[in-house]
Amino acid sequence: MSSKPLTIRSYDKERDRSRVEELERNCEVGSRKKSSVLLTDTLGDPLCRIANSPMYEMLVAEHGDELVGIIRGSIKFASIGNPTKDQARVGYILGLRVSPLHRRRGIGSLLVCKIEEWFMANHVEYAYMATDMKNEASIKLFIDKLGYSKFRSPTILVNPVGQHAVHISPSTKITKLNIAQAEHLLRKFMSSIEFFPQDIDQLLANRLSLGTWIAVHARDDQSNPKSWAMVSVWNCGEIFKLRVEGAPRACVLLARTSRLISKLLRCINIRAMPDIFNLFGFYFMYGIHGEGPEALSLVRSLCHYIHNMAIRCQDCKLVVTEIGGCDTLKHAIPHWNLLSCSEDLWCIKAMTSKKADTSSSFDWIMAQPPPNIFVDPRDV
C-alpha cells in the first residue's frame, strides 16, 4: 500500500454512485477472464439490494481519491430456532468488492470489520453471509481470517420460464390470499423456522411482493382441507437485473436454437434454454410450506402456477427459490440441475459473547441444521 491514506466511510449517493458502478464493472471484468460469470446490474442504484431491509448500511473504501472497495450490510430481527429465545437481531453481509488492483492488501478484511462495528453498535447478536462453495477466496477470508463458521448449506433451485404454459389439474384450487391471511399462516406455521423475519408483515406489504397463494384439492373441505400448500413471490427484476457473461458461443447458439424450436413446435413441448445472456429479471419464491399427505403435489401445482404467471412478464426469465438442503418439499419444485446449486454456503459469527446470567445454554452456531430454513427475499 502506498503512502496515500485509506478511508472507510458511508456511501454517498452524489459522490459515489458512478464510482461504485465502475468498481463493480472492473471486478466483473477480472472474473470474466477465468470463466462465465453471473453479472448483476443494479440499474443505477447500488443500494437496491439492501434498501428494502429494516436497517441497512453501505460502506466504501477510498485510497486517496480512488474508490477501491465496497460492502453492504442489513439488520433485522429473525428466528434462531431456539424455543427459549426465538428471536435475535441478525446482520447480513453482502456485496463485498475490492478493486482487482488493490487486492491482498487487507482492504476486504477491514471493510468486513467496519460493517461488523456497525452491527455491534446496533446490538446485532449474529452476523452471517452467503457465498458459493467454490469461492475459495471468500471462504478463506471469512472463515480462516475473520472467525466465521460454516453454518447452513441450503439448495438453490432455478427453473427457466418457458414459452408455453404448464398444465395445472382442474382438481387443484389455487387462491390468492390477502396480506393479513398470508401473515397469519406464515406466522402460525413458519415463525419458528430459522431466519424467519419478525417484520413479515412489512415484507408481504412491500411493492416487490407479488402476493401469496394457497393450493388445496377442490374435493376437500375448503375450511379444513386434508392437504394444502402455500407460496409467496417476490419480483427481484424490479430492482436489479442479471446477465450471464463469458459463456461459450456454442451455449449461446444452443439457447437461441432451442427457443426457436420450442416456439415452432409447440405440440411436442420442448423445454427451451431462456435468454440469460442479455439482461433479465426473475421471480423469487419464498415461504414455501405444505401440510398433509398430498402437500408435495400441491406445491408442484403452485410452482406451475407461478411459472405461468411469469410467462406474462416479458422480463422474467427464471423462477428461483432457496430451500433447506434436507427439506422434502424441494423434490416438488421444478428446476434445471444445470442452472441450480445443490449447496449454497452460509457462514455465521457471534457478535456478542453470551451473557453470564443467561438461563439458556443454546448455542445457535453449534446447533444441528434443521430440515428447513426461511430465505428472506430481501437477502437475495
Side-chain angles (χ1 to χ4, degrees):
M1 183 78 69
S2 72
S3 59
K4 293 181 181 180
L6 180 70
T7 304
I8 295 181
R9 57 170 176 80
S10 294
Y11 167 78
D12 181 280
K13 180 179 178 180
E14 299 301 323
R15 294 171 57 186
D16 302 326
R17 184 175 66 176
S18 61
R19 295 197 298 166
V20 167
E21 291 178 333
E22 181 181 2
L23 171 64
E24 295 198 310
R25 282 195 298 269
N26 290 338
C27 291
E28 291 166 352
V29 168
S31 300
R32 287 201 297 269
K33 293 178 181 179
K34 298 179 181 180
S35 62
S36 59
V37 293
L38 184 64
L39 308 183
T40 303
D41 188 332
T42 59
L43 306 179
D45 181 11
L47 292 173
C48 68
R49 294 181 65 186
I50 55 175
N52 290 287
S53 298
M55 295 180 63
Y56 59 90
E57 174 68 292
M58 180 172 176
L59 301 177
V60 300
E62 283 184 312
H63 183 219
D65 296 328
E66 184 181 2
L67 193 146
V68 298
I70 57 174
I71 194 170
R72 301 170 177 89
S74 62
I75 297 173
K76 65 187 174 189
F77 277 100
S79 298
I80 63 173
N82 175 22
T84 61
K85 185 187 177 187
D86 60 353
Q87 293 282 333
R89 184 169 287 195
V90 297
Y92 180 58
I93 298 173
L94 73 162
L96 174 62
R97 300 282 188 273
V98 176
S99 168
L101 298 178
H102 292 80
R103 291 174 182 170
R104 301 182 184 277
R105 301 180 184 181
I107 296 174
S109 299
L110 190 55
L111 281 166
V112 175
C113 290
K114 289 296 183 180
I115 205 72
E116 287 180 347
E117 288 178 9
W118 178 70
F119 285 161
M120 289 185 284
N122 288 282
H123 313 292
V124 163
E125 296 167 75
Y126 297 94
Y128 72 106
M129 53 78 70
T131 189
D132 191 308
M133 282 281 192
K134 299 178 182 178
N135 191 336
E136 295 180 2
S138 180
I139 293 173
K140 184 176 181 179
L141 171 64
F142 281 91
I143 294 179
D144 296 347
K145 293 186 65 176
L146 297 172
Y148 284 72
S149 302
K150 293 182 180 180
F151 188 57
R152 301 292 181 254
S153 300
T155 298
I156 300 174
L157 301 176
V158 181
N159 200 43
V161 176
Q163 296 172 299
H164 315 307
V166 181
H167 175 72
I168 300 173
S169 172
S171 64
T172 301
K173 182 179 180 181
I174 296 176
T175 305
K176 186 175 183 180
L177 304 177
N178 61 40
I179 293 175
Q181 291 170 328
E183 180 187 354
H184 172 74
L185 285 179
L186 283 165
R187 289 195 188 277
K188 181 176 181 180
F189 291 99
M190 304 194 75
S191 61
S192 62
I193 293 176
E194 285 185 343
F195 294 100
F196 181 87
Q198 188 181 62
D199 66 333
I200 188 66
D201 54 332
Q202 298 299 313
L203 181 62
L204 295 169
N206 191 286
R207 67 179 181 86
L208 300 175
S209 176
L210 298 179
T212 300
W213 287 263
I214 187 170
V216 299
H217 287 295
R219 65 177 181 272
D220 282 356
D221 178 0
Q222 301 299 295
S223 62
N224 186 28
K226 296 177 182 177
S227 299
W228 62 274
M230 67 182 296
V231 65
S232 299
V233 184
W234 185 267
N235 186 6
C236 293
E238 282 291 311
I239 52 174
F240 66 92
K241 309 291 185 186
L242 300 175
R243 175 169 59 90
V244 173
E245 179 73 21
R249 182 171 175 79
C251 292
V252 180
L253 292 175
L254 178 62
R256 291 176 180 173
T257 303
S258 68
R259 289 196 301 276
L260 178 61
I261 293 175
S262 177
K263 187 175 182 179
L264 293 176
L265 302 177
R266 296 174 61 96
C267 59
I268 59 176
N269 193 26
I270 294 177
R271 296 294 302 278
M273 172 71 76
D275 181 10
I276 56 176
F277 307 106
N278 293 297
L279 289 177
F280 66 90
F282 67 98
Y283 287 172
F284 187 82
M285 300 189 300
Y286 67 101
I288 302 173
H289 184 74
E291 297 276 335
E294 297 185 74
L296 286 176
S297 66
L298 292 172
V299 166
R300 188 174 296 109
S301 293
L302 282 171
C303 292
H304 290 161
Y305 182 89
I306 303 306
H307 171 273
N308 294 346
M309 186 173 74
I311 292 176
R312 299 191 289 271
C313 175
Q314 293 184 351
D315 179 61
C316 183
K317 303 301 181 185
L318 302 174
V319 176
V320 182
T321 193
E322 190 162 11
I323 195 166
C326 297
D327 194 328
T328 57
L329 293 180
K330 72 179 184 180
H331 301 296
I333 300 172
H335 63 280
W336 277 20
N337 290 332
L338 177 65
L339 302 174
S340 302
C341 172
S342 60
E343 284 190 318
D344 194 18
L345 176 62
W346 291 17
C347 301
I348 197 168
K349 179 181 178 179
M351 290 287 98
T352 56
S353 59
K354 288 188 175 183
K355 297 179 181 178
D357 60 349
T358 181
S359 61
S360 172
S361 60
F362 179 77
D363 185 342
W364 193 25
I365 294 177
M366 299 302 295
Q368 288 297 311
N372 47 14
I373 194 169
F374 192 97
V375 182
D376 191 325
R378 295 171 296 189
D379 294 346
V380 175

Coordinates of all heavy atoms in Angstrom, one line a residue, residues 49-50 53-57 71-80 87-95 112 114-130 142 148-149 151 195-197 346-352 364-365 376 378-379:
R49 N -30.2 -3.6 -3.3 CA -30.3 -5.0 -2.8 C -30.5 -5.0 -1.3 O -30.7 -6.0 -0.7 CB -29.1 -5.8 -3.2 CG -29.1 -6.1 -4.7 CD -28.0 -6.9 -5.1 NE -28.0 -8.3 -4.5 CZ -27.1 -9.2 -4.7 NH1 -25.9 -8.9 -5.3 NH2 -27.2 -10.4 -4.2
I50 N -30.3 -3.8 -0.6 CA -30.5 -3.7 0.8 C -31.5 -2.7 1.2 O -32.0 -2.7 2.4 CB -29.2 -3.4 1.5 CG1 -28.5 -2.1 0.9 CG2 -28.2 -4.6 1.4 CD1 -27.3 -1.7 1.7
S53 N -34.6 -3.6 3.4 CA -34.5 -4.1 4.7 C -34.8 -3.1 5.8 O -34.7 -1.9 5.6 CB -33.0 -4.6 4.9 OG -32.7 -5.6 4.0
P54 N -35.1 -3.5 7.0 CA -35.5 -2.6 8.1 C -34.4 -1.6 8.4 O -34.6 -0.4 8.7 CB -35.7 -3.5 9.3 CG -36.1 -4.8 8.7 CD -35.3 -4.9 7.5
M55 N -33.1 -2.1 8.4 CA -31.9 -1.2 8.6 C -30.8 -1.6 7.6 O -30.7 -2.8 7.4 CB -31.4 -1.3 10.0 CG -32.3 -0.8 11.1 SD -31.6 -1.0 12.8 CE -30.1 0.1 12.6
Y56 N -30.1 -0.7 7.1 CA -29.1 -1.1 6.2 C -28.0 0.0 6.1 O -28.1 1.1 6.5 CB -29.6 -1.3 4.8 CG -30.3 -0.1 4.1 CD1 -29.6 0.9 3.4 CD2 -31.7 0.1 4.3 CE1 -30.3 2.0 2.8 CE2 -32.3 1.2 3.7 CZ -31.6 2.1 3.0 OH -32.2 3.2 2.5
E57 N -26.8 -0.4 5.7 CA -25.6 0.4 5.5 C -24.8 0.0 4.4 O -24.7 -1.2 4.1 CB -24.8 0.4 6.8 CG -23.5 1.2 6.8 CD -23.7 2.7 6.7 OE1 -24.1 3.1 5.6 OE2 -23.3 3.4 7.7
I71 N -18.9 -2.5 0.6 CA -19.5 -3.6 1.3 C -20.9 -3.2 1.7 O -21.1 -2.0 2.0 CB -18.7 -4.1 2.6 CG1 -19.2 -5.4 3.1 CG2 -18.7 -3.0 3.7 CD1 -18.3 -6.1 4.1
R72 N -21.8 -4.1 1.8 CA -23.2 -3.8 2.2 C -23.6 -4.6 3.4 O -23.1 -5.7 3.5 CB -24.2 -4.0 1.0 CG -23.9 -3.2 -0.3 CD -24.8 -3.7 -1.4 NE -24.6 -3.0 -2.6 CZ -23.7 -3.2 -3.6 NH1 -22.9 -4.3 -3.4 NH2 -23.7 -2.5 -4.7
G73 N -24.5 -4.1 4.2 CA -25.0 -4.8 5.3 C -26.4 -4.4 5.7 O -26.8 -3.3 5.4
S74 N -27.2 -5.4 6.2 CA -28.5 -5.1 6.6 C -28.8 -5.8 8.0 O -28.1 -6.7 8.3 CB -29.5 -5.6 5.6 OG -29.4 -7.0 5.4
I75 N -29.8 -5.3 8.7 CA -30.1 -5.8 10.0 C -31.6 -6.0 10.1 O -32.4 -5.2 9.6 CB -29.7 -4.8 11.1 CG1 -28.2 -4.6 11.1 CG2 -30.1 -5.2 12.5 CD1 -27.7 -3.5 12.0
K76 N -32.0 -7.1 10.8 CA -33.4 -7.4 11.1 C -33.5 -8.3 12.3 O -32.5 -8.9 12.7 CB -34.0 -8.1 9.9 CG -33.4 -9.4 9.6 CD -34.0 -10.0 8.3 CE -33.2 -11.3 7.9 NZ -33.6 -11.8 6.6
F77 N -34.7 -8.5 12.9 CA -34.9 -9.5 13.9 C -35.4 -10.8 13.1 O -36.2 -10.7 12.3 CB -36.0 -9.0 14.8 CG -35.5 -8.2 16.0 CD1 -35.6 -6.8 15.9 CD2 -34.8 -8.8 17.1 CE1 -35.1 -6.0 17.0 CE2 -34.4 -8.0 18.1 CZ -34.5 -6.6 18.0
A78 N -34.8 -11.9 13.5 CA -35.2 -13.2 12.9 C -35.2 -14.3 13.9 O -34.5 -14.2 14.9 CB -34.3 -13.4 11.7
S79 N -35.9 -15.4 13.6 CA -35.9 -16.5 14.4 C -34.6 -17.3 14.4 O -33.9 -17.3 13.3 CB -37.0 -17.5 14.0 OG -38.3 -16.9 14.1
I80 N -34.2 -17.8 15.5 CA -32.9 -18.6 15.5 C -33.2 -20.1 15.8 O -32.3 -20.8 16.1 CB -31.9 -18.0 16.5 CG1 -32.5 -18.1 17.9 CG2 -31.6 -16.6 16.1 CD1 -31.4 -17.6 19.0
Q87 N -36.0 -15.2 19.0 CA -35.7 -14.1 18.1 C -34.3 -13.5 18.4 O -33.9 -13.5 19.6 CB -36.7 -12.9 18.2 CG -38.1 -13.3 17.8 CD -38.2 -13.2 16.2 OE1 -37.5 -12.5 15.6 NE2 -39.1 -14.0 15.7
A88 N -33.6 -13.1 17.4 CA -32.3 -12.4 17.6 C -32.1 -11.4 16.6 O -32.7 -11.4 15.5 CB -31.1 -13.4 17.6
R89 N -31.4 -10.3 16.9 CA -31.0 -9.3 15.9 C -29.9 -9.8 15.1 O -28.8 -10.1 15.6 CB -30.7 -8.0 16.5 CG -30.5 -6.9 15.5 CD -30.4 -5.5 16.2 NE -31.8 -5.1 16.6 CZ -32.1 -3.8 17.0 NH1 -31.2 -2.9 16.9 NH2 -33.3 -3.5 17.3
V90 N -30.1 -10.0 13.8 CA -29.0 -10.6 12.9 C -28.6 -9.6 11.8 O -29.4 -8.8 11.4 CB -29.5 -11.9 12.3 CG1 -29.8 -13.0 13.3 CG2 -30.7 -11.7 11.4
G91 N -27.3 -9.6 11.5 CA -26.8 -8.8 10.4 C -26.4 -9.6 9.2 O -25.8 -10.7 9.4
Y92 N -26.7 -9.1 8.1 CA -26.4 -9.9 6.8 C -25.4 -9.1 6.0 O -25.6 -7.9 5.8 CB -27.6 -10.1 6.0 CG -27.4 -10.9 4.7 CD1 -26.9 -12.1 4.7 CD2 -27.8 -10.3 3.5 CE1 -26.7 -12.8 3.5 CE2 -27.6 -11.0 2.3 CZ -27.1 -12.3 2.3 OH -26.9 -13.0 1.2
I93 N -24.3 -9.7 5.6 CA -23.2 -9.1 4.8 C -23.4 -9.5 3.4 O -23.5 -10.7 3.1 CB -21.8 -9.4 5.3 CG1 -21.7 -8.9 6.8 CG2 -20.8 -8.9 4.4 CD1 -20.4 -9.4 7.4
L94 N -23.3 -8.6 2.4 CA -23.3 -8.9 1.0 C -22.6 -7.9 0.2 O -22.4 -6.7 0.7 CB -24.8 -9.1 0.5 CG -25.6 -7.9 0.3 CD1 -26.8 -8.2 -0.6 CD2 -26.2 -7.3 1.6
G95 N -22.3 -8.2 -1.0 CA -21.7 -7.2 -2.0 C -20.3 -6.7 -1.6 O -20.0 -5.6 -1.9
V112 N -15.0 -5.7 6.2 CA -15.9 -6.5 7.0 C -15.9 -6.1 8.4 O -16.9 -6.1 9.1 CB -15.4 -8.0 6.8 CG1 -16.2 -8.9 7.7 CG2 -15.6 -8.5 5.4
K114 N -15.4 -3.2 9.6 CA -16.1 -1.9 9.8 C -17.6 -2.2 9.8 O -18.4 -1.5 10.5 CB -15.7 -0.9 8.7 CG -14.3 -0.4 8.9 CD -14.2 0.4 10.2 CE -12.8 1.1 10.3 NZ -12.7 1.9 11.6
I115 N -18.1 -3.1 8.9 CA -19.5 -3.3 8.9 C -19.9 -4.1 10.2 O -21.0 -3.9 10.7 CB -19.9 -4.1 7.6 CG1 -21.4 -3.9 7.3 CG2 -19.7 -5.6 7.7 CD1 -21.7 -2.5 6.8
E116 N -19.0 -4.9 10.7 CA -19.3 -5.6 12.0 C -19.4 -4.6 13.1 O -20.2 -4.7 14.0 CB -18.2 -6.6 12.3 CG -18.2 -7.8 11.4 CD -17.1 -8.8 11.7 OE1 -16.2 -8.4 12.5 OE2 -17.2 -10.0 11.3
E117 N -18.5 -3.5 13.0 CA -18.6 -2.4 14.1 C -20.0 -1.8 14.0 O -20.6 -1.5 15.0 CB -17.5 -1.4 13.8 CG -16.1 -1.9 14.2 CD -15.1 -0.8 13.9 OE1 -15.5 0.3 13.6 OE2 -13.9 -1.2 14.0
W118 N -20.5 -1.6 12.8 CA -21.9 -1.0 12.7 C -22.9 -2.0 13.2 O -23.9 -1.6 13.9 CB -22.2 -0.7 11.2 CG -23.5 -0.2 10.9 CD1 -24.0 1.0 11.3 CD2 -24.6 -0.9 10.3 NE1 -25.4 1.1 10.9 CE2 -25.7 0.0 10.3 CE3 -24.7 -2.1 9.7 CZ2 -26.9 -0.4 9.7 CZ3 -25.9 -2.5 9.1 CH2 -27.0 -1.6 9.1
F119 N -22.7 -3.3 13.0 CA -23.6 -4.3 13.5 C -23.6 -4.2 15.1 O -24.7 -4.1 15.7 CB -23.2 -5.7 13.1 CG -23.5 -6.1 11.7 CD1 -22.8 -7.1 11.1 CD2 -24.4 -5.4 11.0 CE1 -23.0 -7.5 9.8 CE2 -24.7 -5.8 9.6 CZ -24.0 -6.9 9.1
M120 N -22.5 -4.2 15.7 CA -22.4 -4.2 17.1 C -22.9 -2.9 17.7 O -23.6 -2.9 18.8 CB -20.9 -4.4 17.5 CG -20.5 -5.8 17.3 SD -18.8 -6.2 17.9 CE -17.8 -5.4 16.7
A121 N -22.7 -1.8 17.0 CA -23.3 -0.5 17.5 C -24.8 -0.6 17.5 O -25.5 0.2 18.2 CB -22.8 0.6 16.6
N122 N -25.4 -1.5 16.7 CA -26.9 -1.6 16.6 C -27.3 -2.9 17.3 O -28.4 -3.4 16.9 CB -27.3 -1.5 15.1 CG -27.2 -0.1 14.6 OD1 -28.1 0.7 14.9 ND2 -26.2 0.2 13.8
H123 N -26.5 -3.4 18.2 CA -26.9 -4.6 19.0 C -27.1 -5.9 18.3 O -28.0 -6.7 18.7 CB -28.1 -4.2 19.9 CG -27.9 -2.9 20.5 ND1 -27.0 -2.6 21.5 CD2 -28.6 -1.7 20.3 CE1 -27.1 -1.3 21.9 NE2 -28.0 -0.8 21.2
V124 N -26.4 -6.1 17.2 CA -26.6 -7.3 16.4 C -25.9 -8.4 17.2 O -24.8 -8.3 17.7 CB -25.9 -7.2 15.0 CG1 -25.7 -8.5 14.4 CG2 -26.8 -6.3 14.1
E125 N -26.6 -9.6 17.3 CA -26.1 -10.7 18.0 C -25.3 -11.7 17.1 O -24.4 -12.4 17.6 CB -27.2 -11.4 18.7 CG -27.9 -10.5 19.8 CD -29.2 -11.1 20.3 OE1 -29.2 -12.1 21.0 OE2 -30.3 -10.6 19.9
Y126 N -25.8 -11.8 15.9 CA -25.1 -12.7 14.9 C -25.0 -12.0 13.6 O -25.9 -11.4 13.1 CB -25.9 -14.0 14.7 CG -26.0 -14.9 15.9 CD1 -27.2 -14.8 16.7 CD2 -25.1 -15.8 16.3 CE1 -27.3 -15.6 17.9 CE2 -25.2 -16.6 17.4 CZ -26.3 -16.5 18.2 OH -26.5 -17.3 19.3
A127 N -23.8 -12.2 12.9 CA -23.6 -11.8 11.5 C -23.5 -13.0 10.6 O -22.9 -14.0 11.0 CB -22.4 -10.9 11.4
Y128 N -24.1 -12.9 9.5 CA -23.9 -14.1 8.5 C -23.8 -13.6 7.1 O -24.1 -12.4 6.8 CB -25.1 -15.0 8.7 CG -26.5 -14.5 8.1 CD1 -27.0 -15.0 6.9 CD2 -27.2 -13.6 8.8 CE1 -28.2 -14.6 6.4 CE2 -28.4 -13.2 8.3 CZ -28.9 -13.7 7.1 OH -30.1 -13.3 6.6
M129 N -23.3 -14.4 6.3 CA -23.1 -14.1 4.9 C -23.3 -15.4 4.1 O -23.2 -16.5 4.6 CB -21.7 -13.5 4.6 CG -20.5 -14.3 5.2 SD -20.0 -15.8 4.2 CE -19.3 -15.0 2.7
A130 N -23.5 -15.2 2.8 CA -23.7 -16.4 1.9 C -22.6 -16.3 0.8 O -22.3 -15.2 0.2 CB -25.1 -16.4 1.3
F142 N -13.5 -15.1 5.2 CA -14.4 -15.1 6.3 C -14.1 -16.2 7.4 O -14.3 -15.9 8.6 CB -15.8 -15.3 5.8 CG -16.4 -14.0 5.2 CD1 -16.2 -13.7 3.9 CD2 -17.1 -13.1 6.0 CE1 -16.7 -12.5 3.4 CE2 -17.6 -11.9 5.6 CZ -17.4 -11.6 4.2
Y148 N -15.5 -16.6 11.1 CA -16.8 -17.1 10.8 C -16.8 -18.7 10.7 O -15.7 -19.3 10.5 CB -17.3 -16.6 9.4 CG -17.8 -15.1 9.5 CD1 -16.9 -14.1 9.7 CD2 -19.1 -14.8 9.5 CE1 -17.3 -12.8 9.8 CE2 -19.6 -13.5 9.6 CZ -18.6 -12.5 9.8 OH -19.1 -11.2 9.9
S149 N -18.0 -19.3 10.9 CA -18.1 -20.7 10.9 C -19.0 -21.1 9.8 O -20.0 -20.4 9.5 CB -18.6 -21.2 12.2 OG -17.8 -20.9 13.3
F151 N -22.1 -22.7 8.4 CA -23.3 -22.8 9.2 C -24.4 -23.7 8.5 O -24.8 -24.7 9.0 CB -23.8 -21.4 9.5 CG -25.0 -21.4 10.5 CD1 -24.8 -21.9 11.8 CD2 -26.2 -20.8 10.2 CE1 -25.9 -21.9 12.7 CE2 -27.2 -20.7 11.1 CZ -27.1 -21.3 12.3
F195 N -34.3 -17.9 10.6 CA -34.2 -16.8 9.8 C -35.6 -16.2 9.4 O -35.7 -15.3 8.6 CB -33.3 -17.0 8.6 CG -31.9 -17.2 8.9 CD1 -31.4 -18.5 8.9 CD2 -31.0 -16.1 9.1 CE1 -30.0 -18.7 9.2 CE2 -29.7 -16.3 9.5 CZ -29.2 -17.6 9.5
F196 N -36.7 -16.7 10.0 CA -38.0 -16.1 9.7 C -38.0 -14.7 10.3 O -37.7 -14.5 11.4 CB -39.1 -17.0 10.4 CG -40.5 -16.4 10.2 CD1 -41.2 -16.8 9.1 CD2 -41.0 -15.5 11.1 CE1 -42.5 -16.3 8.8 CE2 -42.3 -15.0 10.9 CZ -43.0 -15.4 9.7
P197 N -38.3 -13.7 9.4 CA -38.2 -12.3 9.8 C -39.4 -11.9 10.7 O -40.5 -12.2 10.4 CB -38.2 -11.5 8.5 CG -39.0 -12.4 7.6 CD -38.7 -13.8 8.0
W346 N -23.7 -20.8 3.8 CA -23.9 -19.7 4.7 C -22.9 -19.8 5.9 O -22.8 -20.9 6.5 CB -25.4 -19.7 5.3 CG -26.4 -19.4 4.3 CD1 -26.3 -19.4 2.9 CD2 -27.8 -19.0 4.5 NE1 -27.5 -19.0 2.3 CE2 -28.4 -18.8 3.3 CE3 -28.5 -18.8 5.7 CZ2 -29.7 -18.4 3.1 CZ3 -29.8 -18.5 5.6 CH2 -30.5 -18.3 4.3
C347 N -22.3 -18.7 6.2 CA -21.3 -18.6 7.3 C -21.8 -17.7 8.4 O -22.5 -16.7 8.0 CB -19.9 -18.2 6.8 SG -19.3 -19.3 5.6
I348 N -21.5 -17.9 9.6 CA -22.1 -17.1 10.7 C -21.0 -16.8 11.8 O -20.0 -17.6 11.9 CB -23.3 -17.9 11.3 CG1 -24.1 -16.9 12.2 CG2 -22.8 -19.1 12.1 CD1 -25.4 -17.5 12.6
K349 N -21.2 -15.8 12.5 CA -20.3 -15.4 13.6 C -21.1 -14.7 14.7 O -21.9 -13.8 14.4 CB -19.2 -14.4 13.0 CG -18.2 -13.9 14.0 CD -17.2 -13.0 13.3 CE -16.2 -12.4 14.2 NZ -15.3 -11.5 13.5
A350 N -20.8 -15.0 15.9 CA -21.4 -14.3 17.0 C -20.8 -12.9 17.2 O -19.6 -12.8 17.3 CB -21.3 -15.1 18.3
M351 N -21.6 -11.9 17.3 CA -21.1 -10.6 17.5 C -21.0 -10.2 19.0 O -20.3 -9.3 19.3 CB -22.1 -9.6 16.8 CG -22.1 -9.6 15.3 SD -20.6 -8.9 14.6 CE -19.6 -10.3 14.3
T352 N -21.7 -10.9 19.9 CA -21.6 -10.6 21.3 C -21.3 -11.9 22.0 O -21.8 -13.0 21.6 CB -22.9 -10.0 21.8 OG1 -24.0 -10.8 21.5 CG2 -23.1 -8.6 21.2
W364 N -26.6 -21.2 19.0 CA -27.1 -21.3 17.6 C -26.1 -21.8 16.6 O -26.3 -22.6 15.7 CB -27.7 -20.0 17.2 CG -28.5 -20.0 16.0 CD1 -29.2 -21.1 15.5 CD2 -28.8 -19.0 15.1 NE1 -29.9 -20.8 14.3 CE2 -29.6 -19.4 14.1 CE3 -28.4 -17.6 15.0 CZ2 -30.1 -18.6 13.0 CZ3 -28.8 -16.8 14.0 CH2 -29.7 -17.3 13.0
I365 N -24.8 -21.3 16.8 CA -23.8 -21.7 15.9 C -23.5 -23.2 15.9 O -23.2 -23.8 14.8 CB -22.5 -20.9 16.2 CG1 -22.8 -19.4 15.9 CG2 -21.3 -21.4 15.3 CD1 -21.6 -18.5 16.3
D376 N -35.2 -15.0 3.3 CA -35.8 -13.7 3.1 C -35.5 -13.2 1.7 O -34.3 -13.1 1.4 CB -35.3 -12.8 4.2 CG -36.1 -11.5 4.2 OD1 -36.5 -11.0 3.2 OD2 -36.3 -11.0 5.4
R378 N -35.3 -10.3 0.6 CA -34.5 -9.1 0.7 C -33.1 -9.4 0.8 O -32.2 -8.5 0.6 CB -35.0 -8.3 1.9 CG -36.4 -7.8 1.8 CD -36.9 -7.1 3.1 NE -37.0 -8.1 4.2 CZ -37.6 -7.9 5.3 NH1 -38.1 -6.7 5.5 NH2 -37.6 -8.8 6.3
D379 N -32.7 -10.7 1.1 CA -31.3 -11.1 1.2 C -30.8 -11.7 -0.1 O -29.6 -12.1 -0.2 CB -31.1 -12.1 2.3 CG -31.4 -11.5 3.7 OD1 -31.5 -10.3 3.8 OD2 -31.6 -12.3 4.6

